[in-house]
Amino acid sequence: MISRPARLTIVFFFILTLCLPWNTAAAPVSEDTIRKAVNRPPDEIDLSETLLLVSKHWQPALDLDHLRKQLDSLTDKARQKLGENPTPQKTVEGLTSLIHKQEGYRFTDSVDAAGMPTVPAELFLHGLLETKRGYCMNLSLLYLILAQRLDLPLYGVPLPNHFFVRYQSAQYRVNIEATQDGAHFGDDFYRDRFQVAENASYFLNNLNARQTLGAYFSNVGLTFYRNQHPDTAVFYLRLSTEINPKSIDALNNLGNVYSEMGRMEDAIVQYKKALEADPENLSSLFNLGVAYAQADRTDEAIETFLQVAEREPRFPPVHDLLSRLYVQTGNHIAALLHTKLLDRLQPGQFEVRMQMGNILLEMGEAQLALGVFEWMQGTFPERLEINERMGEAYYLMDDFDKAIVQYEYILERAPQSLPAYVQMGWVHYRKGELDKAVEWTQRGLKASPQSNPFLPLAFMNLGLYHVLKKDFVAARQWYRKALDADKDNTVEGMVDDLNEARAGYPGLAEIDFFSGWVLHEGGRTQEAQSSLKKFLSTNPEGELAVEARTMLENIGEVVPAGMVKIPQGFFIMGDDHHGDDEAPKHKVYLDTYYIDKHEVSAAEFAEFLNAMPETKRFFGINKFGTIEQRGGNFIPRRGLENYPANNVSWFGAAAYCKWKDQRLPTEAEWEKAARGPNGNLFPWGNDPISPQKSRYNLQWNENIRHRVMVPVDSMPEGKSFYGVFHMLGNVKEWVDDWYDREYYKEENHKTNPKGQIGGEYKVLKGGSWRDLRSFVYASFRNNSYPAAMVDDYGFRCAWSATSPDSQTPKKHISFDPVPGFKTLSPATGEGTAQP
């Protein structure tokens, strides 16, 4: 057990159209209004009015009348400047002169590294009119607005990440580059610069008014997404792809947004559509590979990346990702091949050579890895990570004395490096020098800062050393410190270390005791039994034997606090007399599980939000919420501490449950907890719903306000068969499943169903305070975007009766550079030398 460095992970390689601004205003213009404006025949679409609607959707306080007057004035000036019956050439010259020379419209002065506007307003028509600065799209739109008002044959022309205007009549055709004060460039210029194929079906072709708006909506969607309005972003991007189904920009942007939202299966669909539109587009192909990887579809990710590498063998990121994926699948030869290719493309880079050495260590080729690290030491003499890896290599070669030299070198230059002390202690342990192992590790605790991610590792090593030294009191104290610092990541490591030590200390039965004790204290009580029984079979007497028997006697059913047990067995799910998506009524078998007795309260969810570094995807702040923000902290509104948390997205609900070492219930689990085993219509049975049993059919107003809801532990008359509160009314509740209206008809819905794989909407159950009574019954199925944060959306958590470890999702695309490595998350603890 040498060092445990941070795992390496991949991220998406996005090719986005825009650098996006900040804005958090509400949007009084509805999406239906926008959709109706663009779903007219192209010759009936009013460009200026539609674009002004989009501006007001973004900034509701806009004075549209003022902006209309500006456009009317500009139109009058254009009409006067062009005069009667101008030639096409004079028309183009007059427009460019008016817009750029007379009125001063030009490309923005403030751009980011990608050349995109950094001033928010300059991405919209209202900002262009106010500042006279814009970018390719809205400068071109200004031309097209005037052309529509003056009946001129101007068209928008799309390019990858660019847009310009073309005048085209029977007599005259010319391209107008709005970002260059109306300069003219030929099609070949654009085709070469933007690498557009001769037979492209979308790029470099004239667009009508509706298609032009579709191109613009791709940018608008990204703007809303970057400003924490994911649902609105998806609306614009989907509308863009509906209007221009061959636009790879729009398809890729929608795929990128789905990717960032964690909707990988939806992202995959969009990237595939982009590839259908342009099979040669490497950006789409690469992002498809990344989406496959993040969706744990590793074989498809590798196959896709290999296609990218075949078409563009000098593209470094694809070799980097292939290397990592092959490490994950255990194909180290292929991983090494792509790392070497990466090294040829980026010769001598520190990260690449380090990756090469790590892979060789994974392969067990410590001598070859040592050669890589020795070369690196000559090139990067100040990088102590190289000495750490050299120590690893010597350790794996059983040359412990040379490993110690490397760690001594590190400590001379970094005397507070706890990892080096921990490694030094471990090498001495492997040499059989337990006293030195303890001494070096405790020296590290004294020397290192009190907050250090390696503290749990130091604690668990000291626990092991003291077990082997037969100082069982100290061993228990150090193991307790490790568990308190990071239980999730230390239990497995402590048990593995004890199991490995057993071969070297065959007569030490206390190893079995501490294996059981660690598992028991880590919450894995069922797994603890075998180790404890094995210990008692050889040591039936003594203080530890008494404790082992006590633990075994206490290992029974432990219901998690605040939860209710739902026993295994069949129950009746669905209904044949309501919506089609509830049919057919059928029997479903579920294993034993536990579910929260109450909805998650405002106080509980506020505590979670305050523990999170980022909360924007989880929760929306507005006056309807039971939680508010003061001084940077989230707090429940006064008197509403025990009311349900609302305005919670599915992402927030899932993250909270994971934070509690739990999970969201499946739809089937929720419905069984609500209906009981016999398919009751309501939680309390089949008697009609009433205000004494459920909170429903209420309207928010300034008098009742948050009291449309009630505390989560109120209204016991409405409890379910299993004693669960508020399964109907109060707030709708997110469950884990993706919504599929046909899913009940599938054969696999009969045993522990978990919903379809991927989708657009997540299921909500239970109805809420605002729902009519006809929608408040136990089998009713609702659904919404998982990013939606609505004032009647809440949730509760579930917990499997099996080991909680099985509920923890696996990390994506990561690897440890040394066999048997365990990565520990950052934790804090006291850096003291004694337990």
Side-chain angles (χ1 to χ4, degrees), residues 673-740:
R675 303 183 71 178
N678 299 318
N680 292 338
L681 296 179
F682 305 101
W684 51 86
N686 294 319
D687 294 338
I689 191 171
S690 69
Q692 291 73 41
K693 297 176 180 177
S694 179
R695 200 69 166 170
Y696 65 98
N697 197 22
L698 294 171
Q699 293 183 352
W700 178 285
N701 59 54
E702 289 304 317
N703 291 323
I704 190 171
R705 293 177 62 80
H706 300 88
R707 264 66 186 187
V708 293
M709 295 170 279
V710 292
V712 299
D713 56 357
S714 63
M715 305 179 75
E717 298 88 352
K719 287 191 301 184
S720 77
F721 176 89
Y722 296 109
V724 185
F725 283 66
H726 291 292
M727 295 301 281
L728 294 186
N730 229 21
V731 288
K732 296 182 181 71
E733 297 181 17
W734 290 110
V735 296
D736 191 55
D737 303 41
W738 290 103
Y739 176 75
D740 179 357

Side-chain angles (χ1 to χ4, degrees), residues 441-489:
T441 309
Q442 290 188 337
R443 283 175 61 181
L445 292 178
K446 290 180 179 178
S448 68
Q450 290 191 356
S451 177
N452 191 301
F454 279 85
L455 282 173
L457 183 59
F459 297 154
M460 59 188 277
N461 285 4
L462 284 168
L464 173 68
Y465 304 154
H466 284 89
V467 169
L468 302 181
K469 284 167 60 68
K470 301 183 180 181
D471 187 346
F472 303 130
V473 173
R476 190 195 310 270
Q477 291 173 333
W478 286 115
Y479 276 147
R480 169 57 60 195
K481 289 176 72 69
L483 289 167
D484 290 343
D486 191 2
K487 180 170 69 176
D488 290 342
N489 290 296

Side-chain angles (χ1 to χ4, degrees), residues 10-257:
I10 66 168
V11 297
F12 278 88
F13 182 76
F14 288 110
I15 303 177
L16 299 180
T17 306
L18 294 175
C19 173
L20 303 163
W22 297 97
N23 185 293
T24 56
V29 174
S30 72
E31 293 175 0
D32 284 342
T33 302
I34 301 293
R35 183 177 285 277
K36 288 177 182 177
V38 298
N39 278 349
R40 299 171 181 170
D43 57 354
E44 295 180 13
I45 289 176
D46 188 325
L47 272 179
S48 60
E49 282 301 309
T50 305
L51 291 168
L52 289 175
L53 282 175
V54 174
S55 285
K56 194 167 181 65
H57 199 185
W58 170 257
Q59 187 173 322
L62 279 177
D63 180 0
L64 295 189
D65 288 337
H66 169 69
L67 297 171
R68 290 187 184 103
K69 290 176 182 177
Q70 286 184 263
L71 289 172
D72 291 342
S73 174
L74 186 62
T75 304
D76 290 339
K77 291 177 183 178
R79 188 176 288 110
Q80 294 172 12
K81 192 170 188 69
L82 298 182
E84 295 293 332
N85 300 319
T87 65
Q89 293 90 337
K90 292 295 185 183
T91 298
V92 173
E93 291 173 4
L95 282 178
T96 58
S97 175
L98 171 68
I99 291 172
H100 300 294
K101 293 181 181 179
Q102 184 174 329
E103 295 298 316
Y105 287 95
R106 61 183 177 82
F107 191 70
T108 179
D109 296 316
S110 178
V111 297
D112 64 10
M116 294 298 130
T118 58
V119 178
E122 293 175 358
L123 294 153
F124 293 89
L125 179 59
H126 68 275
L128 176 67
L129 294 175
E130 291 167 358
T131 68
K132 297 192 174 182
R133 300 291 181 270
Y135 71 117
C136 62
M137 179 60 77
N138 58 1
L139 285 168
S140 296
L141 288 170
L142 188 61
Y143 274 91
L144 296 173
I145 289 170
L146 294 176
Q148 189 179 66
R149 291 177 169 214
L150 300 175
D151 196 23
L152 301 175
L154 264 69
Y155 304 91
V157 183
L159 286 164
N161 297 327
H162 191 60
F163 200 87
F164 68 92
V165 178
R166 177 180 290 145
Y167 184 103
Q168 185 166 344
S169 66
Q171 300 81 23
Y172 187 65
R173 182 183 189 277
V174 67
N175 298 328
I176 304 170
E177 180 52 61
T179 65
Q180 298 290 326
D181 296 338
H184 305 327
F185 300 100
D187 287 1
D188 288 341
F189 168 82
Y190 288 114
R191 187 172 287 109
D192 292 342
R193 181 170 183 179
F194 292 93
Q195 298 181 351
V196 176
E198 289 280 353
N199 59 348
S201 60
Y202 176 71
F203 293 129
L204 268 181
N205 290 301
N206 293 350
L207 303 183
N208 60 35
R210 187 169 187 268
Q211 292 167 329
T212 294
L213 287 169
Y216 177 55
F217 287 162
S218 179
N219 296 346
V220 174
L222 291 176
T223 306
F224 274 101
Y225 182 76
R226 291 301 187 191
N227 288 272
Q228 310 304 319
H229 296 287
D231 291 343
T232 308
V234 169
F235 161 74
Y236 276 108
L237 287 164
R238 289 185 62 182
L239 191 54
S240 178
T241 61
E242 291 169 13
I243 295 171
N244 297 321
K246 298 295 184 182
S247 170
I248 61 170
D249 278 357
L251 292 164
N252 275 323
N253 286 341
L254 181 55
N256 292 342
V257 166

Side-chain angles (χ1 to χ4, degrees), residues 400-542:
F400 297 139
D401 290 335
K402 287 185 178 178
I404 287 171
V405 170
Q406 296 299 321
Y407 299 133
E408 287 176 340
Y409 179 86
I410 294 171
L411 290 172
E412 287 175 5
R413 287 153 182 77
Q416 291 186 323
S417 174
L418 181 56
Y421 285 107
V422 171
Q423 292 164 336
M424 183 77 85
W426 192 261
V427 174
H428 281 293
Y429 153 64
R430 289 300 303 276
K431 291 182 70 177
E433 300 170 348
L434 289 175
D435 289 337
K436 288 186 177 180
V438 171
E439 177 188 352
W440 277 104
T441 309
Q442 290 188 337
R443 283 175 61 181
L445 292 178
K446 290 180 179 178
S448 68
Q450 290 191 356
S451 177
N452 191 301
F454 279 85
L455 282 173
L457 183 59
F459 297 154
M460 59 188 277
N461 285 4
L462 284 168
L464 173 68
Y465 304 154
H466 284 89
V467 169
L468 302 181
K469 284 167 60 68
K470 301 183 180 181
D471 187 346
F472 303 130
V473 173
R476 190 195 310 270
Q477 291 173 333
W478 286 115
Y479 276 147
R480 169 57 60 195
K481 289 176 72 69
L483 289 167
D484 290 343
D486 191 2
K487 180 170 69 176
D488 290 342
N489 290 296
T490 55
V491 171
E492 196 74 36
M494 288 188 281
V495 173
D496 286 346
D497 291 343
L498 286 163
N499 288 337
E500 290 174 7
R502 188 176 283 107
Y505 297 81
L508 190 59
E510 285 79 7
I511 290 177
D512 292 314
F513 171 85
F514 277 98
S515 293
W517 182 88
V518 166
L519 288 166
H520 182 274
E521 296 301 304
R524 294 163 59 174
T525 54
Q526 299 304 315
E527 296 174 70
Q529 293 185 73
S530 62
S531 294
L532 294 172
K533 290 176 180 178
K534 184 178 179 182
F535 169 71
L536 287 173
S537 68
T538 55
N539 289 267
E541 305 296 334

Side-chain angles (χ1 to χ4, degrees), residues 333-346:
I333 298 297
L336 189 61
L337 169 65
H338 284 280
T339 306
K340 289 184 175 180
L341 290 171
L342 184 62
D343 188 49
R344 293 176 190 171
L345 296 173
Q346 299 175 331

